[in-house]
Amino acid sequence: LRFASMIVGDSSAREGVSKTAGPGRRKASDGGRRFQRELRAMMFGFGDSSAPLTQSVQLMEDMVTDYLQQLLHKASEACEQRQRQQRRGSDTANTPRVREKDLLYVLRKDRRRLRRVQELLEVYEEQKEARERPPEDYAKDDE
């Protein structure tokens, strides 16, 4: 879910933001700051200074991280529910794994983000097909 950080918006990210790290939050080797560079660039792209305050970037990162954790937790719950419904007729005890459709299910009420995720998934599929395509095929397209 690399693209998940690209779908975060202001209003939803502020809801339920905790100011302290939760018990389940993992820290990166650099003190938990994973998206600093990307967030600085995004903040600049949305009109902030070319060098935003460190505290502003850290606050944005906390909001993004909290939003992603909430989103993935909801997707995990949807996955478990889907697995329970599928298991009713079978005896398999597979470990549930969050899938693309679980994330889409969670985002179904937020049309803007849902469209963005679907767009990113389409681009991902196009890139995946392009990587699998032999270079000779590109030469044929140019003719």
Side-chain angles (χ1 to χ4, degrees):
L1 300 173
R2 282 181 244 155
F3 60 86
S5 64
M6 298 168 62
I7 62 172
V8 176
D10 300 341
S11 61
S12 295
R14 288 189 193 119
E15 297 171 5
V17 173
S18 64
K19 296 190 181 215
T20 61
R25 178 176 277 175
R26 286 187 236 155
K27 295 290 184 184
S29 59
D30 59 347
R33 303 296 167 193
R34 298 171 189 232
F35 307 116
Q36 295 260 328
R37 187 175 18 144
E38 294 85 359
L39 282 171
R40 285 181 195 279
M42 288 174 70
M43 289 171 70
F44 178 65
F46 283 102
D48 202 334
S49 162
S50 60
L53 293 174
T54 304
Q55 295 90 342
S56 298
V57 177
Q58 289 174 352
L59 176 63
M60 286 296 295
E61 185 172 25
D62 288 343
M63 290 175 14
V64 167
T65 304
D66 288 342
Y67 173 75
L68 290 174
Q69 285 177 340
Q70 290 173 13
L71 181 71
L72 292 173
H73 181 72
K74 289 176 185 177
S76 176
E77 289 173 350
C79 175
E80 289 173 3
Q81 182 179 8
R82 178 177 47 83
Q83 287 285 5
R84 269 187 252 120
Q85 290 174 350
Q86 288 176 350
R87 274 192 226 143
R88 285 184 184 163
S90 67
D91 294 331
T92 59
N94 295 336
T95 303
R97 294 183 72 175
V98 174
R99 295 188 180 165
E100 192 176 290
K101 60 183 169 184
D102 299 318
L103 181 62
L104 295 174
Y105 176 79
V106 171
L107 291 173
R108 74 192 183 283
K109 293 181 183 176
D110 190 344
R111 292 180 185 216
R112 195 168 116 211
R113 287 196 182 113
L114 180 62
R115 277 194 303 266
R116 179 66 176 147
V117 168
Q118 289 171 333
E119 179 184 319
L120 290 169
L121 288 170
E122 288 173 14
V123 168
Y124 173 76
E125 287 300 321
E126 289 173 8
Q127 290 176 344
K128 187 173 149 183
E129 290 171 8
R131 283 191 296 266
E132 292 172 355
R133 196 170 164 192
E136 298 84 41
D137 290 351
Y138 292 113
K140 291 178 189 173
D141 289 344
D142 291 338
E143 294 172 358

